[in-house]
Amino acid sequence: MTSASRNFDVLIVGAGPAGMAAACCASENGLRVAIVDNNPQPGGQIWRGASQSSAVPEAAPWYKKLAASRAQVLSGTEAYDHPAPGKLLASSPGGVCEISYAKLILCTGARERFLPFPGWTLPNVIGAGGLQALVKSGFSIAGKKIVVAGSGPLLLAVAAYLREHGGDVRLIAEQSSWPRLIRFGLALAFQKEKLAQSFALKCQLAGIPYKAGCWPVAAEGNGRVESVTLRSGNKTWKEACDYLACGFFLVPNVELPLLLGCELRAGFVRVDDFQQTTIPEVYCAGEPTGIGGLDLSLVEGQIAGHAAAGNREAARKLFRERDRSRKFAAALGRAFSLRDELHSLPADATFICRCEDVTLARLRNHSCWRAAKLQTRCGMGSCQGRICGPAVEFLLGWKPESVRPPIYPVSVSSLAKNISIESQSSLQEELR
Amino acid sequence: MPDAISVTVNGTAVRVPLNSTALVAILMSRASSPARFVRRSLSGEPRGPLCAMGICFECRATINNQRHSRTCLILCAPGMDIRTDD
Ligand SMILES: Cc1cc2nc3c(=O)[nH]c(=O)nc-3n(C[C@H](O)[C@H](O)[C@H](O)COP(=O)(O)OP(=O)(O)OC[C@H]3O[C@@H](n4cnc5c(N)ncnc54)[C@H](O)[C@@H]3O)c2cc1C
Ligand code: FES
């Protein structure tokens, strides 16, 4: 074994709420536990950077528990290959390292779904969660006109956050219809806490128009977005903006689970009651098993952590809570499913693949992913199809092909540097 | 800016809040131009960040000589040398 390799009883990929909860529970049993995560700080999409502030009350106990546990947090570290059973390769700005594990828990989260429309590649057209993340990482949007569009409860959270930070949020355009949302609202009513949360949000939002059954059809501007064309029913109009924050609900990050050979069901990682995937000793928790928000990610993470540590009794006690949250997840999926009209969003000349600048017209000449990839390089650029893949699946019905390592590009210079995990522990000290 | 640090973007000093990502430094360095882009696409279009979470690669630039770094995933450190490709 080289100095760059290291052994853990339980290795977790992803330090969002699911991964943090898994780490806390797995290390209760005195096991050697580590989390790798490609962000600079633990917290995942919802809590990113929250360890620095007390602004997020529900995050604080988890950061405390994680710091008190003996789990090692390797931030800025990305798992990109699975060279042999029980081993992952990970890269960080310092180089690459091999990490061995007895049990693996995949908590890789989700990303926003982006749908191409004319003008979506203009600067300042950005993901809804994307703009929020940018502001969380130091960017100022004070006084800027912002239209928030797309689909999902994230739009509400983002609009509230941007307004709190001085953004002039003009409109929230939700593609789903009122009838769908009302049905979803009824499902919410069975979960009192959730209802309270959504009311609290509504209050914050007072004054920001929320339009359901409304979606962006084009973005216009010279060098950056200056306006967005919106449609609602038969009506089409332009709304001036400095930013268009736009995402169409979420898609799970299943690249690493697929690389490990985990089976999917309807696009999500298939797990048993104990969150174990179809590959023995490999568990999965949080958004990759179903988009269900914070509570579901936390409870699945805890179950996976206990189960991986062999504490099945503790895991079992959480089944009921998880099943309740899963019902919420199912309602979410139904409420925000994409309307048919969105199939005609891109024009022939619209780039579908932003990495290789491939237009819809060029893709239409092909009958499947494989042919399109060979002829156009669609999906073969840096993002490896993470952005265009879900769009192509929705627009053309092509299912993603199997994934190949490395699942993230690794630079030759970092391959040359094998680093030891010990040299990274200073990073972890800073977090405490 | 009370807790600011200084980095350079294309050789010009930029002050950013503590815990800002390199992406924020690039966007701030373009504050005077209306187009806050990060890179040019294959066909020459200006592009800015899309996901801000390490997925889309639209924010890539050279950081301390490391090419193709996703600037949305990297925190600024004092004296960091950030170069865009345009
Ligand atoms: C951009 C965005 C913003 C969001 N904002 C909110 C919000 O404000 N409020 C809300 O209620 N919900 C929000 N959500 C929904 C949110 O995803 C869930 O509520 C919750 O964060 C899910 O937790 P998780 O642990 O399952 O996944 P995540 O929080 O997504 O955590 C997964 C982590 O794994 C990392 N990762 C993935 N693959 C690898 C790899 N190969 N190597 C290393 N690390 C890896 C990711 O970078 C990430 O840090 C947001 C989602 C997105 C995509
Ligand atoms: S903005 Fe998408 S990878 Fe950085």
Side-chain angles (χ1 to χ4, degrees):
Chain A
M1 199 184 284
T2 66
S3 65
S5 50
R6 192 62 187 269
N7 244 305
F8 293 97
D9 299 311
V10 180
L11 177 65
I12 297 156
V13 181
M20 287 169 69
C24 293
C25 294
S27 50
E28 271 170 20
N29 293 22
L31 301 177
R32 279 172 312 159
V33 177
I35 320 184
V36 300
D37 186 278
N38 54 7
N39 278 272
Q41 294 149 338
Q45 298 313 328
I46 182 167
W47 294 339
R48 63 177 52 234
S51 53
Q52 254 86 33
S53 73
S54 51
V56 192
E58 69 273 23
W62 290 104
Y63 280 103
K64 244 185 238 146
K65 259 194 215 171
L66 185 64
S69 78
R70 302 215 329 269
Q72 210 171 332
V73 182
L74 305 165
S75 291
T77 306
E78 189 164 71
Y80 69 89
D81 198 358
H82 171 56
K87 286 183 200 309
L88 283 184
L89 292 176
S91 68
S92 70
V96 299
C97 60
E98 185 181 277
I99 309 176
S100 307
Y101 56 84
K103 316 256 176 164
L104 180 65
I105 309 180
L106 302 169
C107 303
T108 50
R111 56 181 180 261
E112 289 182 270
R113 185 198 276 116
F114 297 105
L115 295 181
F117 49 84
W120 78 298
T121 55
L122 281 170
N124 293 10
V125 177
I126 181 171
L131 186 56
Q132 183 190 38
L134 204 56
V135 175
K136 283 185 182 175
S137 51
F139 190 65
S140 167
I141 40 114
K144 299 293 181 194
K145 292 192 289 286
I146 304 165
V147 171
V148 177
S151 199
L154 185 56
L155 302 186
L156 292 160
V158 167
Y161 183 88
L162 295 176
R163 191 152 98 159
E164 218 175 278
H165 288 76
D168 174 10
V169 181
R170 290 304 175 92
L171 173 75
I172 303 171
E174 165 61 60
Q175 60 87 33
S176 185
S177 64
W178 276 123
R180 265 187 186 279
L181 292 172
I182 287 165
R183 248 179 286 153
F184 166 64
L186 286 181
L188 274 183
F190 291 106
Q191 314 208 5
K192 272 196 244 133
E193 233 169 286
K194 294 270 163 40
L195 197 64
Q197 274 172 19
S198 60
F199 275 126
L201 254 177
K202 244 190 227 139
C203 297
Q204 279 174 2
L205 285 171
I208 305 178
Y210 182 85
K211 268 189 179 303
C214 176
W215 63 95
V217 291
E220 305 88 14
N222 190 4
R224 68 163 177 94
V225 70
E226 287 164 300
S227 65
V228 51
T229 302
L230 295 158
R231 178 165 302 158
S232 177
N234 301 326
K235 223 177 109 199
T236 302
W237 74 102
K238 265 191 195 42
E239 197 77 47
C241 61
D242 300 307
Y243 290 91
L244 170 59
C246 184
F248 291 86
F249 207 44
L250 303 175
V251 287
N253 293 324
V254 293
E255 290 74 17
L256 189 59
L258 279 174
L259 185 70
L260 280 138
C262 303
E263 233 175 75
L264 303 191
R265 183 190 280 154
F268 293 98
V269 176
R270 206 178 131 188
V271 289
D272 68 10
D273 277 351
F274 292 94
Q275 301 295 133
Q276 188 166 204
T277 68
T278 49
I279 303 294
E281 320 297 7
V282 177
Y283 297 75
C284 185
E287 308 281 43
T289 69
I291 306 296
L294 177 62
D295 295 351
L296 185 58
S297 286
L298 281 172
V299 71
E300 286 193 356
Q302 293 174 71
I303 292 172
H306 284 308
N311 192 350
R312 288 168 83 88
E313 222 20 71
R316 214 173 257 122
K317 289 200 180 111
L318 296 163
F319 284 180
R320 273 201 29 213
E321 189 185 335
R322 176 190 55 200
D323 296 345
R324 233 181 301 138
S325 291
R326 276 195 182 152
K327 283 197 191 119
F328 172 69
L332 268 183
R334 282 194 298 274
F336 296 104
S337 57
L338 299 179
R339 60 172 56 235
D340 276 346
E341 289 97 320
L342 300 176
H343 283 112
S344 51
L345 273 185
D348 280 351
T350 306
F351 287 142
I352 305 297
C353 169
R354 300 168 66 113
C355 295
E356 300 289 327
D357 283 358
V358 183
T359 60
L360 178 63
R362 286 182 63 204
L363 284 184
R364 280 226 182 92
N365 290 333
H366 303 283
S367 55
C368 65
W369 252 126
R370 182 159 308 206
K373 276 188 174 172
L374 280 173
Q375 303 296 323
T376 70
R377 289 195 45 81
C378 183
M380 306 212 11
S382 310
C383 92
Q384 302 184 359
R386 284 179 172 82
I387 302 297
C388 65
V392 163
E393 186 172 352
F394 175 69
L395 295 168
L396 301 170
W398 299 348
K399 294 268 176 251
E401 294 198 305
S402 58
V403 297
R404 290 212 193 115
I407 60 165
Y408 287 99
V410 187
S411 74
V412 180
S413 60
S414 38
L415 282 175
K417 283 182 264 173
N418 270 14
I419 48 161
S420 68
I421 286 174
E422 282 83 351
S423 70
Q424 293 196 351
S425 47
S426 57
L427 222 173
Q428 192 183 14
E429 289 310 311
E430 278 169 34
L431 286 169
R432 294 204 163 155
Chain B
M1 242 177 268
D3 281 327
I5 53 172
S6 200
V7 299
T8 62
V9 178
N10 298 329
T12 306
V14 180
R15 283 176 76 71
V16 295
L18 203 65
N19 291 313
S20 294
T21 55
L23 172 58
V24 170
I26 295 175
L27 297 176
M28 284 177 76
S29 79
R30 309 252 200 227
S32 55
S33 88
R36 293 192 172 195
F37 69 100
V38 176
R39 62 173 205 105
R40 295 234 173 236
S41 77
L42 212 61
S43 63
E45 279 193 345
R47 292 281 170 80
L50 179 68
C51 72
M53 56 173 286
I55 299 282
C56 73
F57 287 71
E58 290 284 22
C59 67
R60 61 189 188 265
T62 302
I63 297 185
N64 295 340
N65 293 321
Q66 182 91 35
R67 296 188 62 210
H68 303 304
S69 298
R70 277 164 285 166
T71 57
C72 67
L73 288 183
I74 296 174
L75 292 184
C76 286
M80 182 179 263
D81 177 36
I82 305 164
R83 287 179 189 274
T84 59
D85 295 334
D86 58 287

